Amino acid sequence: MASALALTHSSISSGLGKRVLAGVSGGLAGGIVFGMLMAMMGMLPMIASMVGSSSAVVGFGVHLMISVLIGLGLTVLFGNRPLTGYRRSALVGLAYGAIWWVLGPLMIMPAMLGMPLFAVSLTAVLSLMGHMIFGAILGLVAVRVIAGRP
C-alpha cells in the first residue's frame, strides 16, 4: 500500500502527472462556473441533446466531461510552455476559450445536431463570453497546479 501511494505521489509530481492534474482541475473549475452560466441561460438541455437526452442534469454532466477533455488538451498537448505565470495563463486561457467557441458551438455541436454552422446570434455571443471565462479559469487553475501551489 505504501509503495502504491509513493508511486501515485511520484507520478503526480512528474511533469506529465502535474499537467494531467492541472487539466482535470482547471477543466472542472472552469466547467462548473461556465455550466452555472449555461444553466441560467437554459442551455443545458441543448447540450444533453448531443447524447439523446433533454435533461439539464445530463447536459451538465456532458458539459463537465467536455470541459475536462478541453482542459487536458491545453495542459497535456501544449505542455507547460504557455502556462508560465498568472497573467500569461489567463490570456492563453481567454484565447483557448475563444478557439473552442469556434470549434464547439459554431462547428461541432451544430454539425452533430443538424443545425447551420457558424450561426452567430445573441446566444452565440453570450456563449463566447462563457467560453472565455471558462478558458481564463482553466488557465489560472492549471498554472497554479503546475507551479505546485496549494
Side-chain angles (χ1 to χ4, degrees):
M1 177 78 171
S3 64
L5 213 51
L7 178 62
T8 303
H9 178 67
S10 72
S11 63
I12 289 177
S13 300
S14 75
L16 179 59
K18 260 191 181 177
R19 291 195 324 262
V20 167
L21 183 61
V24 170
S25 301
L28 282 174
I32 289 169
V33 172
F34 187 21
M36 290 188 302
L37 296 172
M38 291 172 71
M40 291 189 299
M41 293 175 49
M43 298 301 298
L44 293 174
M46 181 185 287
I47 302 300
S49 71
M50 292 171 41
V51 295
S53 175
S54 61
S55 165
V57 173
V58 170
F60 191 70
V62 169
H63 168 72
L64 286 180
M65 288 189 301
I66 293 168
S67 296
V68 167
L69 291 174
I70 290 172
L72 288 169
L74 177 63
T75 61
V76 174
L77 296 179
F78 296 108
N80 302 20
R81 280 177 250 159
L83 304 173
T84 56
Y86 287 107
R87 182 177 305 183
R88 180 179 169 130
S89 296
L91 291 173
V92 165
L94 287 169
Y96 191 66
I99 290 166
W100 273 105
W101 172 71
V102 172
L103 293 173
L106 296 186
M107 293 176 63
I108 297 169
M109 191 170 77
M112 288 178 71
L113 300 177
M115 299 164 52
L117 303 180
F118 299 105
V120 178
S121 63
L122 176 60
T123 302
V125 172
L126 293 172
S127 175
L128 171 61
M129 291 176 13
H131 279 83
M132 292 176 74
I133 291 167
F134 164 82
I137 293 169
L138 166 61
L140 290 169
V141 171
V143 75
R144 187 168 183 98
V145 171
I146 289 169
R149 296 187 184 112

